[in-house]
Amino acid sequence: MKRTLALAVACALVLEGCGESDAPGEARKKTVLEYASMKDIRNINPHLYLGEMAAQAMVFEPLVFNTPEGVQPALAERWEISGDGRTYTFHLRRGVKFTDGTPFTADAVKKNIDAVMANRTRHAWLDMINEIESSEVVDEHTWRLHLRHPYFPALIELGLSRPFRFISPACMKDGGTKDGVTCLAGTGPWVLSEHKDQQYALFSRNEGYWGDKPIVPTVRWNVVPDTQTMLMALEKGEIDLVFGADGDQLTGDAFKKLTDEKRLNTAVSEPIASRAILVNSKRPITKDVRVREALAYAFNRQAVVDGILNGTEAAAMTLFAKSVPYCDVPLKERGHDPKKAVEILDAAGWKAGADGIRTKDGARLVLDFYFNSNNAQEKTIAEAMQGDLLKIGVELRVIGEEKQAFLDRQRTGEFDLQYSLSWGAPYDPQSYLSSWRIPAHGDYQSQIGLADKAHIDATITALMTEADEKKRAAMVRDVLTRITDAAVYIPVSYSRTKAVYSNRIKDVSFAVTQYEIPFEKMSFTEAGK
């Protein structure tokens, strides 16, 4: 079966055919970087959420880029902010064109922003949407944005992977994008030149790109939904790159194996996001904070880091790392302490039954942990927790669901525990905290049973428009303290983006966000040319 799958992958990669005379790799064009993903790029309309963010970011650009050095110019060369913090005037880069030949102008910017705002309800997870009051074209190369309040993450959120990216107005349907687009012309370094659904997508270098052009002429995004097949193709040299952060692409075991073998190159980013387990505060058993605390003390996160993540990530004692803006604050830490967990459950009235599982008022201490069944790493982490909790008399049922069912469960709150990954830089903490107020998110659902949920949400709302830095810091500290004391998150680790790549390519690096892949910086080695 594996041989058949591998052959199918090889055929998809070569594309020129798969006859007996075609030795693997011989028919590959030397100009093509072969990337493998478990997911198709799907619909990469930059103003919707139906496509892969990495693919969208290859084609469509924002006004500003988020970088390790902070916000930097992109399609806007410079900007001014009014004294009251409510008006941003952007001076646009001249001579830029969309790949269909349409000039990039202030009028094009306004049409894009208007198209995004026409779908305001869909984008309401991002508070920037709620803060935009109006915008205007000052002249051909100057665009002005008016906000309802001074909004400190405005520039950061304008630089996110979506939705504030720009598509040619000629691609819009009736002046909008929410009902689809007729073409995919952006200003970015890549052009989507071919796409076969659930098979592959070809991205060609934008020869008219305003910035530094990509070195590699073509990137082929190969859809390989089976992890074992993907690894086989990588080891056989049929693909050049596997890239990912959350376990969908590379489990810790697979990454360690490839690193140890040293036949391929491996790399990891700086810590970029937070892995955690949500514990629902409104469910019959986990609504008791004492139960939630006991679960946290019982969990051996260091064993997960060492045994499942193979030491590639740091164990997390708090939801956010101290290096995340505003998050270097004193918070309660619940390290691995099974004895303390037992004491808490005993005091809460949960007594061990004949089979070792605790009971109280006739109810057994049985909880359901849901995870995305497409992610083997999530399953392994859930099973590790299952073993930890059994030792203190808690039965944890580990239940895998297809991704859409898993997401639907987040929206309804029908879970006791659920795997969670923060959005990472540059979303953390402000944009991620902002999403906690949205009922469709698992974070909201897990917090809804807290007595101070209304206060938490109101504080988040206030901090997003607070101009004073010290007051914002105090608000974040207040929110994090309440959430930590409530034990609705059991921190696991601070995730890193991982890359495995062949000797054909070099200059593999990482973006600020876990959702983008800097293909434009990669190049071929002398051996790969």
Side-chain angles (χ1 to χ4, degrees), residues 34 39 52-54 57 62 96 135 209 345 347 387 410 469 479 505:
E34 303 284 1
K39 303 171 185 175
E52 283 299 293
M53 295 168 75
V96 176
S135 74
Y209 186 53
L345 290 178
Q410 281 186 342
E469 181 84 13
V479 169
I505 62 172

Side-chain angles (χ1 to χ4, degrees), residues 395-502:
E395 180 181 344
L396 187 66
R397 296 186 295 210
V398 174
I399 305 167
E401 295 184 314
E402 290 297 322
K403 187 171 184 179
Q404 190 55 55
F406 174 78
L407 295 175
D408 290 343
R409 189 171 296 278
Q410 281 186 342
R411 297 183 181 97
T412 62
E414 294 298 316
F415 61 88
D416 295 319
L417 291 87
Q418 206 178 52
Y419 183 84
S420 172
L421 182 70
S422 80
W423 298 349
Y427 300 84
D428 292 352
Q430 72 288 331
S431 302
Y432 184 48
L433 292 183
S434 178
S435 76
W436 289 3
R437 301 168 299 157
I438 307 298
H441 290 242
D443 305 88
Y444 176 94
Q445 295 295 340
S446 69
Q447 297 169 18
I448 195 65
L450 301 180
D452 55 355
K453 174 59 173 169
H455 173 87
I456 290 169
D457 287 357
T459 303
I460 292 171
T461 298
L463 81 86
M464 301 300 287
T465 56
E466 175 54 60
D468 186 276
E469 181 84 13
K470 290 184 179 179
K471 290 181 180 178
R472 282 203 303 271
M475 290 175 177
V476 173
R477 177 173 177 166
D478 179 37
V479 169
L480 294 183
T481 299
R482 290 173 184 271
I483 287 295
T484 302
D485 291 348
V488 290
Y489 291 90
I490 301 177
V492 179
S493 67
Y494 302 124
S495 73
R496 297 173 183 261
T497 304
K498 302 174 181 69
V500 180
Y501 56 102
S502 74

Side-chain angles (χ1 to χ4, degrees), residues 288-297 332 334 337-350 358:
D288 187 340
V289 66
R290 294 172 296 180
V291 173
R292 300 197 299 271
E293 279 202 295
L295 301 182
Y297 281 115
K332 184 173 184 178
R334 300 180 181 90
D337 192 341
K339 182 179 178 181
K340 189 173 184 66
V342 167
E343 292 172 352
I344 291 172
L345 290 178
D346 284 343
W350 289 97
R358 293 175 179 272

Side-chain angles (χ1 to χ4, degrees), residues 111-220:
K111 286 177 178 175
N112 271 262
I113 299 300
D114 288 349
V116 170
M117 296 304 293
N119 201 16
R120 181 192 292 263
T121 302
R122 180 63 184 86
H123 304 303
W125 63 271
L126 189 65
D127 230 20
M128 181 70 178
I129 293 291
N130 305 315
E131 289 301 321
I132 293 178
E133 186 172 67
S134 64
S135 74
E136 61 180 300
V137 174
V138 178
D139 59 39
E140 186 177 5
H141 299 290
T142 310
W143 176 73
R144 186 167 290 144
L145 176 66
H146 300 283
L147 303 179
R148 301 181 191 281
H149 308 94
Y151 182 68
F152 82 91
L155 289 173
I156 293 173
E157 294 189 354
L158 285 173
L160 297 179
S161 303
R162 56 193 184 197
F164 298 113
R165 298 262 171 155
F166 298 96
I167 187 170
S168 170
C171 296
M172 296 180 179
K173 288 184 177 179
D174 299 321
T177 54
K178 66 183 179 68
D179 296 321
V181 294
T182 61
C183 59
L184 294 166
T187 63
W190 301 97
V191 178
L192 178 61
S193 53
E194 186 178 353
H195 179 210
K196 289 196 174 181
D197 186 48
Q198 299 302 322
Q199 295 184 50
Y200 67 88
L202 284 178
F203 293 90
S204 303
R205 178 169 57 204
N206 178 3
E207 299 296 348
Y209 186 53
W210 59 266
D212 294 333
K213 295 181 181 63
I215 301 169
V216 172
T218 306
V219 171
R220 176 156 35 227

